[in-house]
């Protein structure tokens, strides 16, 4: 065989392994690029989904809680009161964003009255074909399992971490720079005519087979996540999918708003006011905070964090969701029931009255109590306030 003759395999097993390794490597690298791309797309879709639809979900949760509370006020049934308490617990309190923006602008010397700038649109990344090609080549050439030397493996792991970061950003230029950097690195695979080549091919094929199974499992896991399943409904048009979801949420919110207005309108209440408004429960036995006797038996039905921030010393604390289960803990005397501004306490008073108990709602709740200058304490020893 002359120097110009093509290389011929002298070992049929080695030739077969070379072909199997090349095919398995191609299959794994293609799958790995697909999975990395899917992960990037899901992460970006989840971010945009949260930013665009998060406020709508929060508003819908709030309306559902208000409807449940309005039903509980009308019926006073234990199951309705319990359902209202559970719905209220599902609502997460959001920070006062206007106040937050004002404080930031004040610290930066800006006019607090100036409108807040719109938030920047989240970056969207879908690695292009060139980025995918470079990423595939770098993984093939620099994977830590290509060497058995511990120091070399650590170096390759650190290098691939940079590769993955650049690929996650879809930065083809950065990947090109990394490819140029790696082109000077030594390859760990034995030469084709090396006596160690056959054993390396066997180990390589075994590793690639495991990697293919591992990558396929990860792809299935990603596709089955909530965001993965949602994105699969319209993989080519995620923006259109988000618009459709927003329309559906707005329709649900409008229906809940109409139901709330019907319930509150039937009760003679003002549907434009939120659940905890001292004017919403005029039919409930009530008393002003200033008129509560000093030795009155007080029942505070707020949540633990509200109680800890500030409460009346000597009051009995039972959160609204526990009142039914702990009704036996209540004293037999007349109860003055408190919450933050009178909404939750009114529900409890109506329930207690229907159970034959003597109960009165403290109109205006703890805000009115504080406004009347009546004493409060906190659980922390710090200055008490109404949360």
């Amino acid at each position: 065989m002359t120097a110009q003759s093509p290389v011929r395999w002298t070992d049929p097993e080695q030739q077969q392994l070379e072909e199997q390794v090349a095919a398995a490597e191609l299959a794994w690298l293609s799958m790995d690029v697909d999975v990395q791309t899917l992960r990037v797309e899901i992460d970006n879709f989840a971010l945009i989904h949260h930013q665009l639809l998060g406020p709508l979900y929060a508003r819908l949760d709030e309306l559902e809680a208000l409807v449940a509370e309005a039903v509980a006020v009308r019926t006073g049934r234990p199951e309705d009161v319990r359902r209202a308490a559970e719905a209220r617990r599902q609502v997460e309190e959001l920070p006062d964003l206007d106040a937050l923006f004002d404080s930031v602008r004040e610290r930066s010397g800006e006019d607090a009255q100036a409108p807040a700038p719109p938030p920047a649109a989240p970056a969207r990344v879908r690695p292009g074909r060139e980025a995918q090609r470079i990423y595939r080549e770098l993984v093939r050439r620099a994977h830590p399992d290509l060497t058995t030397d511990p120091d070399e493996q650590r170096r390759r792991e650190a290098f691939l971490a940079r590769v993955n970061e650049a690929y996650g950003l879809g930065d083809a230029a950065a990947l090109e720079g990394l490819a140029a950097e790696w082109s000077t690195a030594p390859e760990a695979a034995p030469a084709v005519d090396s006596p160690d080549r056959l054993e390396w091919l066997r180990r390589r094929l075994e590793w690639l087979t495991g990697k293919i199974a591992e990558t396929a499992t990860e792809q299935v896991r990603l596709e089955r996540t909530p965001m993965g399943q949602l994105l699969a409904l319209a993989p080519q048009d995620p923006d259109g999918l988000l618009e459709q979801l927003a329309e559906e949420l707005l329709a649900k919110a409008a229906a809940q708003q109409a139901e709330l207005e019907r319930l509150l309108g039937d009760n003679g209440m003002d549907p434009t006011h939120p659940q905890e408004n001292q004017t919403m429960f005029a039919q409930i036995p009530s008393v002003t905070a200033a008129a509560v006797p000093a030795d009155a038996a007080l029942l505070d039905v707020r949540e633990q964090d509200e109680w800890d921030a500030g409460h009346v010393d000597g009051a009995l604390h039972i959160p609204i969701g526990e009142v039914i289960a702990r009704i036996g803990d209540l004293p037999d005397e007349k109860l003055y029931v408190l919450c933050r501004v009178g909404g939750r306490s009114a529900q409890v008073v109506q329930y207690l009255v229907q159970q034959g108990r003597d109960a009165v709602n403290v109109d205006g709740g703890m805000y009115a109590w504080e406004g009347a200058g009546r004493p409060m304490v906190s659980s922390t020893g710090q200055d008490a306030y109404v949360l």
Side-chain angles (χ1 to χ4, degrees):
M1 184 171 62
T2 67
Q4 289 77 27
S5 301
V7 174
R8 297 183 180 275
W9 303 112
T10 58
D11 186 337
E13 181 184 5
Q14 181 172 341
Q15 178 180 357
Q16 183 180 26
L17 281 173
E18 293 282 0
E19 294 170 352
Q20 290 175 340
V21 166
E25 188 173 74
L26 178 60
W28 169 60
L29 290 173
S30 298
M31 291 176 63
D32 190 59
V33 169
D34 291 342
V35 169
Q36 293 293 345
T37 301
L38 178 61
R39 182 179 290 110
V40 170
E41 291 177 343
I42 288 177
D43 288 346
N44 281 277
F45 182 75
L47 172 63
I48 298 167
H49 177 275
H50 175 73
Q51 290 189 344
L52 293 182
L53 302 187
L56 289 176
Y57 282 117
R59 176 58 179 161
L60 188 58
D61 288 344
E62 174 66 20
L63 285 170
E64 290 176 351
L66 291 173
V67 168
E69 289 163 348
V71 170
V73 169
R74 293 187 66 183
T75 67
R77 291 196 298 264
E79 60 270 27
D80 289 336
V81 174
R82 188 182 308 110
R83 189 177 297 112
E86 291 174 355
R88 176 55 55 187
R89 280 196 294 270
Q90 297 298 318
V91 178
E92 295 181 357
E93 284 197 17
L94 296 175
D96 186 346
L97 295 180
D98 290 337
L100 178 62
F101 288 143
D102 286 347
S103 66
V104 172
R105 286 194 293 270
E106 286 173 3
R107 287 197 300 270
S108 63
E110 297 180 18
D111 182 5
Q113 301 301 318
R124 294 179 166 191
V125 179
R126 181 187 178 95
R129 291 182 179 274
E130 182 63 10
Q132 294 180 29
R133 183 193 66 77
I134 301 172
Y135 174 80
R136 182 184 293 111
E137 181 66 12
L138 282 172
V139 172
R140 184 187 68 80
R141 295 167 57 192
H143 203 283
D145 284 7
L146 289 171
T147 178
T148 58
D149 180 72
D151 292 336
E152 178 63 6
Q153 285 182 337
R154 284 191 291 271
R155 186 180 76 83
R156 288 170 177 253
E157 288 169 355
F159 178 80
L160 280 184
R162 295 162 58 199
V163 171
N164 289 332
E165 181 180 5
Y167 185 71
L169 296 173
D171 192 341
L175 288 170
E176 288 177 352
L178 290 167
E181 175 182 332
W182 189 257
S183 64
T184 59
E187 295 289 348
V192 172
D193 57 354
S194 170
D196 298 329
R197 180 76 177 184
L198 194 62
E199 177 60 26
W200 178 85
L201 287 170
R202 295 191 186 104
R203 288 187 285 108
R204 178 67 173 168
L205 184 59
E206 181 181 0
W207 180 85
L208 285 169
T209 302
K211 271 296 181 181
I212 289 172
E214 178 184 316
T215 305
T217 300
E218 176 64 7
Q219 181 173 353
V220 171
R221 186 194 70 80
L222 288 171
E223 290 173 346
R224 290 182 177 178
T225 61
M227 284 295 113
Q229 293 182 46
L230 197 57
L231 182 60
L233 296 176
Q236 304 304 321
D237 187 19
D239 290 341
L241 176 61
L242 290 173
E243 291 176 3
Q244 178 183 344
L245 291 173
E247 290 177 359
E248 293 175 358
L249 290 175
L250 287 171
K252 289 181 181 180
Q256 291 285 49
Q257 182 70 40
E259 176 65 7
L260 178 63
E261 291 176 358
R262 184 189 68 80
L263 289 168
L264 299 185
D266 290 346
N267 281 338
M269 302 176 190
D270 182 357
T272 64
H273 284 71
Q275 166 254 352
E276 285 199 342
N277 184 308
Q278 61 265 39
T279 67
M280 288 176 59
F281 301 96
Q283 73 275 28
I284 304 297
S286 63
V287 65
T288 65
V292 175
D295 59 349
L298 294 172
L299 171 62
D300 191 323
V301 297
R302 297 175 299 157
E303 299 303 315
Q304 186 65 48
D305 57 344
E306 297 174 286
W307 167 270
D308 291 338
H311 58 268
V312 181
D313 192 18
L316 175 63
H317 178 221
I318 302 180
I320 185 173
E322 302 175 17
V323 169
I324 295 174
R326 297 178 57 186
I327 193 169
D329 296 342
L330 301 178
D332 293 332
E333 58 190 303
K334 183 176 184 177
L335 287 172
Y336 292 80
V337 187
L338 282 158
C339 67
R340 182 168 50 183
V341 295
R344 285 170 286 177
S345 56
Q347 297 174 36
V348 172
V349 167
Q350 180 159 333
Y351 168 70
L352 293 176
V353 169
Q354 290 180 346
Q355 304 306 308
R357 305 298 295 266
D358 188 4
V360 177
N361 189 39
V362 179
D363 197 20
M366 287 301 296
Y367 276 125
W369 186 276
E370 182 182 43
R374 306 205 63 170
M376 296 189 304
V377 297
S378 72
S379 300
T380 62
Q382 300 177 343
D383 292 339
Y385 65 97
V386 179
L387 176 62

